[in-house]
Amino acid sequence: MTIRNVCDLKGVGLKRGQQLGRLGIETTEDLILYFPRKYQDRRTVTPLDRLETGNKALVKARVLAVDKSGLYGKWGKKRLKLTVTDDTGLLEIVFFNGQYIAKNIHADEEYYFYGEISTFGSSLQMVHPEFTKEDIIGILPIYPLTAGLSQAFMRNIVKEALAVSLPLDDYMPKEVIRESGLVSLDEAVKNIHFPEDEKDIEKATKRLIYDEMYILQLGLSMMKSRSGGTGVMMTANADPYIESLEFPFTGAQKRVWKEISEDMDSARHMNRLLQGDVGSGKTVIAETAMFKAVKSGYQAVLMAPTEILAAQHHQGIEKKFRKFGINTVLLGGRLSAAERADTLENIRTGEARCIIGTHAVLQPSVEYENVGLVITDEQHRFGVDQRVQLFAKGNNPDILTMTATPIPRTLAVVYFGDMDVSELDEMPPGRQKILTKAVTEKSRSQVYRFVEEEIAKGRQIYVVCPLIEGSDEIPVRSAQEVYDELSGRLPAVGLLHGAMNGEEKSEVMSAFAANEIKVLVSTVVIEVGINVPNATVMVVENAERFGLAQLHQLRGRVGRGREQSYCLLILGSTGEIAVERARTMVESTDGFYIAERDLALRGPGEIFGNRQHGLPDLRLADISKNIDLVKPIQKQIASGYVNEELLRRVKKLFGENGELKL
Ligand code: ADP
Ligand code: MG
């Protein structure tokens, strides 16, 4: 294949070249890989007496009359109205503000018009149709364009580019093409632009999506293997710590710990995702890994998503580690200047072995002696470059990323494609099943009675609301409202929400942890990681406004102690999805199952809408929709179906993305 600059094409001068440049098109290769956004079916010309309102149609008609006199709008803009006919009927064509169009349309001449049919009074009309004099019958590509470029221009230069580029060297190994039933690259590229029928589009799309997914997977697998060899070896034995725990590891913890400790033992760089439901025992695994790192002579860093959680982790871990002579520090926002300076100094000299904090631990002002392990959460997922730079002075530390919102494995493998995935899919024994009930407004007084009984037994309650304050637009019960109401009838009610500052929040949380607050009314700020074993009831107001993953997270706040715990979902509306979600919650407490249901209910696109995945943009493929291609592709890559041209394309795809440069 010869690749030329687009400016070498007929009809592309400096200006057009610049406009194309804005679309990221510089070469003929870019051009033929610039795929249509959609197609227009112009295979059939519809006679005017067969037009149907609401449909798009192509008509071929002669202009009977041109009326430029119409005005519309406040400022009296000009309207251009044509009456056209094909001898079966009449149609009005309207262009608002259409003086410039009048120059190109003349009475008595025949044109093709393509557009949507609407009714205006008693006549049929087409507003702002595309029109042309040329005979274009067929399926037309419609490209995403920038100002100044027309579809007709694009079609022409794409045709030209195809003419100079075909035949293409098909980089896809023959085995892959055969195994997966793909069409040739030539056929795919030609037909994605100029298909003869739907089948062509389908086959071309299938092939090109396959290519994109293949190239993506190849890149991800290279990133995984590339990080090998540069890691840290941390071979100290963690058994003393595991034996010091009050419980044996679950089967899942044993399996996961084996995976992690093998990574740490080896010189291979660890970049591992640990998925597990709230309460599945991730924190204990994290502690064990930190123990191993510290005993191997390295510092270990634990990054928590919030100050509260960082403090909570510190409180728990510091005590356990002190027994082993490990100095654990909290790099928190509440330190005085002197304390902070002191802590920083200890981190720098290596006095501090285990460092806990929020992402503030990554500030340049924090200098480490020798970090070997960084444990973080999904929000703080690192790109490859970042990883190397973060602790630039030291090593390329092993990274363990934890997430409490498990996603189906197939999705995790792509979305966290540069990581190995471990799963804690088993709860520690003796856990009681949290009883979940979904109720409507009608049962509110029963809910309150139940809550009162639990308080009388000495238990604590969470009440979660979707909003802080009331709003006229959104008819839900706000945290403030519920707080006011409950303060009147229940003892020791507290309020916690995201608009409070860190100090206020941790005061409330400490009071709740100390059982001084019995009922904690809050927004979803408590979603992450809070641990108050004496809390046994989670009430969710307007539960219909929370997603499944979120509800599951919230429910995970209770059931952490010995007592039977409950989750009460109060539904403010009973839409189909809300009910289906509530049913899922009542049915199951397994986060992996709930994730599968969530996937089925909302589709993968939405689930990942707000997840940062940091992967390069794809053109035709949609990772979540095309997830079923991942397995066969991984197998093919593992079989060695790779070549230079594929690698060049991997570089091109990932190179455009700052975060995951190869
Ligand atoms: P996660 O971080 O996944 O939410 P944690 O590590 O905080 O879970 O564990 C939740 C609770 O279960 C903690 O109180 C912890 O001590 C306890 N736990 C963890 N692993 C086990 C186990 N194997 N057997 C019994 N209890 C366990
Ligand atoms: Mg290692």
Side-chain angles (χ1 to χ4, degrees), residues 94-351:
V94 177
F95 294 95
F96 293 106
N97 211 8
Q99 307 91 302
Y100 65 100
I101 285 176
K103 289 190 220 113
N104 298 320
I105 291 200
H106 309 286
D108 281 337
E109 295 195 4
E110 198 172 49
Y111 300 88
Y112 289 95
F113 297 95
Y114 180 87
E116 190 176 320
I117 308 298
S118 52
T119 340
F120 186 73
S122 59
S123 49
L124 287 179
Q125 67 173 26
M126 237 186 221
V127 178
H128 286 223
E130 289 175 39
F131 67 94
T132 165
K133 250 190 119 45
E134 307 161 70
D135 229 335
I136 25 173
I137 300 282
I139 297 181
L140 286 194
I142 304 295
Y143 298 94
L145 288 184
T146 180
L149 294 174
S150 72
Q151 295 293 345
F153 168 77
M154 267 315 264
R155 285 197 290 269
N156 283 336
I157 58 164
V158 169
K159 253 189 207 132
E160 259 193 83
L162 281 172
V164 302
S165 305
L166 296 180
L168 306 168
D169 302 325
D170 200 334
Y171 48 80
M172 199 54 103
K174 286 197 183 51
E175 294 87 345
V176 174
I177 291 188
R178 204 181 45 235
E179 272 176 32
S180 304
L182 306 174
V183 296
S184 73
L185 186 61
D186 272 349
E187 189 177 333
V189 167
K190 209 166 59 203
N191 287 347
I192 197 80
H193 292 287
F194 303 108
E196 286 190 356
D197 54 32
E198 285 86 356
K199 267 252 150 353
D200 281 353
I201 301 177
E202 202 179 294
K203 283 192 271 182
T205 309
K206 176 178 166 189
R207 161 71 206 249
L208 295 167
I209 285 177
Y210 204 91
D211 286 17
E212 278 193 306
M213 291 295 282
Y214 201 93
I215 289 159
L216 175 72
Q217 279 303 311
L218 184 55
L220 291 173
S221 67
M222 285 166 66
M223 273 167 29
K224 243 190 229 175
S225 55
R226 190 192 68 145
S227 39
T230 55
V232 199
M233 284 171 71
M234 294 177 282
T235 54
N237 194 332
D239 288 348
Y241 188 73
I242 298 173
E243 282 153 18
S244 79
L245 298 170
E246 293 155 11
F247 42 75
F249 272 178
T250 62
Q253 281 171 320
K254 280 189 196 141
R255 188 188 67 234
V256 163
W257 175 245
K258 185 159 179 280
E259 291 163 356
I260 293 173
S261 61
E262 277 174 8
D263 279 358
M264 291 178 74
D265 282 336
S266 82
R268 201 178 97 86
H269 175 262
M270 172 165 79
N271 187 24
R272 184 171 286 279
L273 177 75
L274 175 55
Q275 294 205 92
D277 247 327
V278 173
S280 60
K282 292 183 299 297
T283 307
V284 182
I285 293 290
E287 289 167 6
T288 310
M290 288 192 287
F291 181 90
K292 187 172 166 67
V294 170
K295 285 297 168 192
S296 304
Y298 291 93
Q299 286 174 307
V301 174
L302 174 63
M303 250 168 76
T306 64
E307 291 272 350
I308 299 180
L309 272 172
Q312 213 175 71
H313 276 310
H314 178 256
Q315 215 183 7
I317 295 170
E318 200 273 333
K319 233 185 310 174
K320 290 174 167 173
F321 276 15
R322 200 189 314 148
K323 287 189 277 186
F324 292 94
I326 297 171
N327 181 9
T328 304
V329 298
L330 175 68
L331 194 61
R334 297 176 71 188
L335 298 177
S336 70
E339 285 168 336
R340 185 177 159 83
D342 204 36
T343 306
L344 287 178
E345 179 63 10
N346 283 339
I347 295 173
R348 197 180 61 77
T349 60
E351 184 76 16

